[in-house]
């Protein structure tokens, strides 16, 4: 009888699942909706039901389950509050073990898990230590040292979006703080900068590529690719703040490489160039010239990283 492993990327809207062989080959992937009503009590039962339904088509049993979810997670699989799912402090690992009867279960923060996927099968291949930065609606981070996730004492390591890069600034972050990196370098933050009043600019929105548009981060990078002066200035502001942030990160963890993912990374090499140039301008000499890579796994990074957690621990 064959042995299989399941990787789960639990998001606020959908749950992505992948069925893997015991050598890490992705055999099947699918999604189910995330039912958050009733304080999220349906989420894990729905996942287990979906796995059981999928396994009815395979001859074998589940030997391990890995999961990434959007919140701080301790080493023993306890989530320390996850507002997006309706969970407070919750022992996800033991509850999932109870529902499935599977003993080898690992649970981690989704950004950390995605980083593990990228260093295994994606843009971080060939490195032993990376920092992955996900730039989307927010800014997340995952730290991998010597091939293993650095989760921290409370599961909150890698929350780089909440570093203060403009202390005392009026912009309020989702965390309740002010001046967080996420306020300016997320997709939302880039659009906010472009709409004006957040950073000083030499050029103006009037007459630029962005005039008359609702303005998204994609619009800003599209305009920069057309050599629009205002868009180029916004991209430079983005790169400066992210470069400074990653220079601070490097001073603590000294990774071999940074892997840049999330929706904003779809702008490609321009994103890498904007960050890398400013990183090297703001980091100490011994930490200059790190490798910068684009993430490669896209939406599958989470399921790959989730299952990698349990394959490591066989």
């Amino acid at each position: 009888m064959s042995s299989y492993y399941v990787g789960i990327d639990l998001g606020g809207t959908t749950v992505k699942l992948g069925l893997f062989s015991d050598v890490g080959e992705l055999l099947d992937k699918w999604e189910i909706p995330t039912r958050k009503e009733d304080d999220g009590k349906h989420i894990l039962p729905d996942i287990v039901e979906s796995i059981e339904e999928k396994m009815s088509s395979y001859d074998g049993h589940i030997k391990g389950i890995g999961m990434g979810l959007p919140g701080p997670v301790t080493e023993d699989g306890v989530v320390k509050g996850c507002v997006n799912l309706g969970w407070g402090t919750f022992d996800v690992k033991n509850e999932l073990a109870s529902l499935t009867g599977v003993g080898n279960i690992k649970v981690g923060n989704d950004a950390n898990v995605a980083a593990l996927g990228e260093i295994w099968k994606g843009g971080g291949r060939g490195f032993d230590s990376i920092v992955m930065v996900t730039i989307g609606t927010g800014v997340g981070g995952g730290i991998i040292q010597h091939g293993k996730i650095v989760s921290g004492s409370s599961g909150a390591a890698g929350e780089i979006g909440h570093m203060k890069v403009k202390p005392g600034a009026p912009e309020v972050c989702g965390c309740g703080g002010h001046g967080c990196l996420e306020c300016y370098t997320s997709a939302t933050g880039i659009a906010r900068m472009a709409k004006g009043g957040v950073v000083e600019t030499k050029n103006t929105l009037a007459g630029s590529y962005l005039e008359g548009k609702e303005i998204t981060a994609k619009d800003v990078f599209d305009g920069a690719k057309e050599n629009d002066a205002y868009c180029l200035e916004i991209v430079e502001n983005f790169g400066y703040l992210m470069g400074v942030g990653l220079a601070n990160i490097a001073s603590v963890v000294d990774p071999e490489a940074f892997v840049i993912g999330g929706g904003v990374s779809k702008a490609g090499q321009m994103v890498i160039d904007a960050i890398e140039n400013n990183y090297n301008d703001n980091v100490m000499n011994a930490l200059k010239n790190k490798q910068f890579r684009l993430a490669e796994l896209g939406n599958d990074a989470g399921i790959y990283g989730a299952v990698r957690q349990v394959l490591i621990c066989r």
Side-chain angles (χ1 to χ4, degrees):
M1 183 177 289
S2 300
S3 297
Y4 299 97
Y5 294 80
V6 177
I8 303 167
D9 182 9
L10 173 51
T13 304
T14 61
V15 184
K16 301 176 181 66
L17 301 101
L19 185 68
F20 291 79
S21 73
D22 59 2
V23 294
E25 178 188 3
L26 178 60
L27 304 172
D28 204 344
K29 63 179 181 178
W30 69 104
E31 296 184 7
I32 62 171
T34 305
R35 291 203 294 151
K36 295 177 287 188
E37 60 267 29
D38 302 322
D39 296 324
K41 73 177 185 179
H42 305 291
I43 294 173
L44 293 187
D46 284 353
I47 288 171
V48 173
E49 181 181 352
S50 179
I51 293 170
E52 290 174 347
E53 181 180 347
K54 180 62 65 174
M55 286 305 297
S56 66
S57 301
Y58 289 85
D59 180 23
H61 67 284
I62 300 298
K63 196 171 181 180
I65 299 174
M67 176 185 285
L69 55 83
V73 184
T74 64
E75 289 281 352
D76 54 359
V78 176
V79 62
K80 292 300 187 80
C82 191
V83 176
N84 289 342
L85 301 178
W87 290 348
T89 299
F90 180 32
D91 192 337
V92 178
K93 177 180 177 179
N94 281 338
E95 180 65 17
L96 193 55
S98 175
L99 290 170
T100 61
V102 175
N104 185 10
I105 293 178
K106 293 290 181 182
V107 182
N109 169 267
D110 55 359
N112 290 337
V113 165
L116 189 60
E118 287 289 342
I119 202 170
W120 181 35
K121 297 280 191 180
R125 288 190 313 279
F127 298 109
D128 189 50
S129 300
I130 67 167
V131 171
M132 182 176 175
V133 185
T134 53
I135 310 173
T137 305
V139 174
I143 303 168
I144 307 296
Q145 286 284 325
H146 306 301
K148 296 182 179 180
I149 290 172
V150 176
S151 57
S153 62
S154 60
E159 291 287 353
I160 68 173
H162 302 295
M163 288 191 303
K164 300 297 183 282
V165 292
K166 296 184 72 176
E171 292 78 34
V172 181
C173 181
C175 72
H178 293 257
C180 294
L181 184 66
E182 183 173 295
C183 289
Y184 313 100
T185 61
S186 65
T188 305
I190 293 166
R192 183 188 294 120
M193 285 197 296
K195 290 174 183 177
V198 176
V199 293
E200 292 185 12
T201 58
K202 297 176 183 177
N203 297 283
T204 62
L205 176 60
S208 79
Y209 175 90
L210 300 175
E211 187 175 22
K213 292 182 169 63
E214 290 190 12
I215 305 181
T216 65
K218 182 180 184 300
D219 293 330
V220 173
F221 281 96
D222 285 348
K225 290 174 182 177
E226 296 292 327
N227 290 316
D228 178 82
Y230 183 69
C231 291
L232 285 167
E233 193 170 0
I234 298 301
V235 169
E236 177 58 24
N237 276 304
F238 154 80
Y240 170 73
L241 292 167
M242 184 62 78
V244 168
L246 296 189
N248 292 335
I249 290 291
S251 296
V252 179
V253 299
D254 188 15
E256 294 174 279
F258 292 96
V259 177
I260 311 299
V264 171
S265 72
K266 292 178 181 177
Q269 191 61 37
M270 178 174 283
V271 174
I272 295 291
D273 291 343
I275 298 171
E276 185 175 7
N277 293 338
N278 283 286
Y279 168 85
N280 282 318
D281 286 345
N282 289 282
V283 77
M284 64 181 290
N285 191 61
L287 297 170
K288 289 182 185 293
N289 300 315
K290 297 293 185 182
Q291 294 291 311
F292 280 75
R293 302 282 178 83
L294 289 169
E296 296 178 3
L297 296 177
N299 290 333
D300 289 345
I303 58 173
Y304 272 100
V307 85
R308 181 61 173 165
Q309 295 179 106
V310 291
L311 288 174
I312 289 172
C313 297
R314 285 185 295 181

